[in-house]
């Protein structure tokens, strides 16, 4: 089966190399209340509503860009790891891929509804931060688990 929207297989390893360290660094940033790394830069902001500062729109601002770099690296790595072809991509793997994506979407939104009902304050914003990656992570875990289980069954 020809899959048009998947990255070539070689991008899968690049994706894992980007995803794992950025995910660990992202968790460290979220769990610690201090800036672990500081990389101040002037960036263009469409909208900035800083605490105790006036609202700025369409203007340059000074910002620690470490969290943005980590988030972008984790998202790109997750997309590459999740949506790169397997060595032997066939209809069975495509079916597993589709089912895993549906499964991840359902679990992600179930978790989000649970969080909306039971988690409040700053912790809810942390849940939203993690929610950027949960679809990809749940997909990767289930997809690779099913592939591993299938390969063991036929070995």
């Amino acid at each position: 089966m020809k899959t048009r929207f998947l990255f070539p297989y070689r991008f899968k390893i690049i994706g894992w190399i980007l995803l794992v360290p950025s995910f660990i660094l992202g968790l460290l940033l979220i769990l610690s209340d201090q800036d672990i790394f500081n990389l101040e830069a002037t960036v263009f902001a469409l909208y900035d509503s800083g605490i105790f500062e006036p609202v700025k729109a369409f203007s340059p601002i000074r910002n620690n860009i470490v969290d943005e770099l980590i988030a972008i690296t984790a998202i790109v790595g997750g997309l590459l790891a999740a949506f790169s072809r397997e060595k032997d991509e066939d209809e069975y793997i495509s079916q597993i891929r589709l089912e895993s994506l549906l499964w991840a979407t359902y679990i992600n939104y179930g978790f989000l509804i649970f969080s909306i009902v039971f988690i409040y304050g700053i912790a809810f914003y942390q849940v939203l931060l993690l929610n950027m990656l949960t679809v990809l992570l749940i997909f990767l875990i289930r997809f690779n688990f099913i592939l591993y289980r299938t390969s063991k069954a036929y070995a």
Side-chain angles (χ1 to χ4, degrees):
M1 178 178 172
K2 182 77 174 163
T3 51
R4 298 183 328 183
F5 301 109
L6 295 176
F7 298 106
Y9 174 72
R10 65 181 179 273
F11 286 109
K12 183 175 278 293
I13 293 175
I14 296 169
W16 283 110
I17 290 171
L18 293 174
L19 177 63
V20 172
S22 60
F23 183 74
I24 292 169
L25 286 173
L27 280 179
L28 287 174
L29 278 177
I30 290 172
L31 297 176
S32 69
D33 288 335
Q34 302 171 356
D35 288 338
I36 298 173
F37 308 104
N38 193 4
L39 186 59
E40 289 281 331
T42 301
V43 295
F44 176 76
L46 287 177
Y47 184 79
D48 177 26
S49 62
I51 299 172
F52 307 118
E53 295 177 12
V55 173
K56 298 173 190 164
F58 298 101
S59 63
I61 62 168
R62 293 287 297 167
N63 186 38
N64 182 4
I65 61 170
V66 170
D67 52 348
E68 285 85 1
L69 292 175
I70 290 173
I72 290 169
T73 305
I75 290 169
V76 170
L79 286 171
L80 291 175
F83 300 115
S84 294
R85 286 187 182 92
E86 294 298 313
K87 278 186 181 175
D88 299 316
E89 188 82 23
D90 59 10
E91 290 183 16
Y92 179 68
I93 290 177
S94 294
Q95 183 68 28
I96 293 171
R97 188 183 304 280
L98 176 63
E99 289 174 4
S100 297
L101 190 57
L102 286 173
W103 209 75
T105 303
Y106 293 150
I107 288 177
N108 180 63
Y109 282 102
F111 178 70
L112 188 58
I113 290 170
F114 177 85
S115 301
I116 289 169
V117 173
F118 293 110
I119 298 176
Y120 298 95
I122 297 297
F124 182 72
Y125 291 106
Q126 291 175 332
V127 167
L128 291 179
L129 282 173
L130 291 172
N131 199 257
M132 289 188 309
L133 292 174
T134 50
V135 169
L136 285 173
L137 293 177
I138 294 167
F139 169 81
L140 284 167
I141 291 168
R142 185 183 189 272
F143 179 70
N144 287 302
F145 173 74
I146 298 294
L147 286 180
Y148 173 77
R149 193 175 68 184
T150 303
S151 69
K152 287 296 177 189
Y154 289 111

